[in-house]
Amino acid sequence: PLTLLPQLAMGDGGASPTFGPDTSTGVLPLPHVLAYYAVFFAFGALLYGRRDRREGVAVDRITGGWAVLLPVALLGLLPLGLHLTFDPSAASWGWAAVVQVLYAWAMVFGSMALFRLVLARERRGVRFLSDSAYWLYLAHVPLVIVLQSAIRAWNLPSGVKFAGLIVAVTAVLLLTYRYLIRYTPVGTMLNGRRE
């Protein structure tokens, strides 16, 4: 329910309807966008490592219905949310925000459960990508800005430039993570001690 409060402020409180969270374009995030993501972050931080009464992992207990949640979210809540958000004759912004919040949380729980099922056993490549994710998140913006400026004038379709930019930035950052970050003090700070 806490997610609904900042969601109601998205799209100028419904004056400029948008599906999902607004995008902060400045150095400092918009307060309602920060609050929105803070709810998800706080939930994850509180859930991390928790055990339920039966000494099982708490996330397994609350995400058990992925086979129902994902179809309901994708086939029901998503189209309904888009309709309520962008159809001028539809219900109020409040109802659109409620459906958007339900969609977001259904996707969170459904995706967590599906990935715990599919990726339950250890895989080296997946572990490497998982460990590198924080480094990629922190370091991608300067590289994207530099490469974007470099390829801006190229006479190629924007989709090709976009795909090339993603591949190049990801490759550079995965290489730097592997050879310069992973087993260094920076890697320990990002992910904890690795063996």
Side-chain angles (χ1 to χ4, degrees), residues 20-86:
D22 289 338
T23 301
S24 291
T25 56
V27 174
L28 296 175
L30 297 168
H32 65 282
V33 175
L34 183 62
Y36 179 82
Y37 286 117
V39 173
F40 291 98
F41 179 84
F43 179 81
L46 291 171
L47 184 64
Y48 182 77
R50 293 261 190 233
R51 300 272 178 191
D52 66 12
R53 291 183 189 144
R54 296 183 212 135
E55 287 303 309
V57 179
V59 71
D60 288 340
R61 185 173 174 133
I62 65 172
T63 60
W66 71 269
V68 173
L69 280 175
L70 288 178
V72 164
L74 293 170
L75 301 175
L77 294 172
L78 178 60
L80 178 60
L82 290 170
H83 170 72
L84 293 174
T85 301
F86 297 114

Side-chain angles (χ1 to χ4, degrees), residues 128 135-136 169-181:
F128 177 79
W135 168 247
L136 271 70
V169 168
T170 302
V172 167
L173 290 176
L174 287 174
L175 286 170
T176 59
Y177 178 75
R178 167 67 178 90
Y179 294 107
L180 302 174
I181 302 296

Side-chain angles (χ1 to χ4, degrees), residues 63 65-67 70 108-120:
T63 60
W66 71 269
L70 288 178
V108 165
F109 290 130
S111 297
M112 283 172 36
L114 178 61
F115 276 89
R116 286 185 64 79
L117 176 72
V118 172
L119 300 174

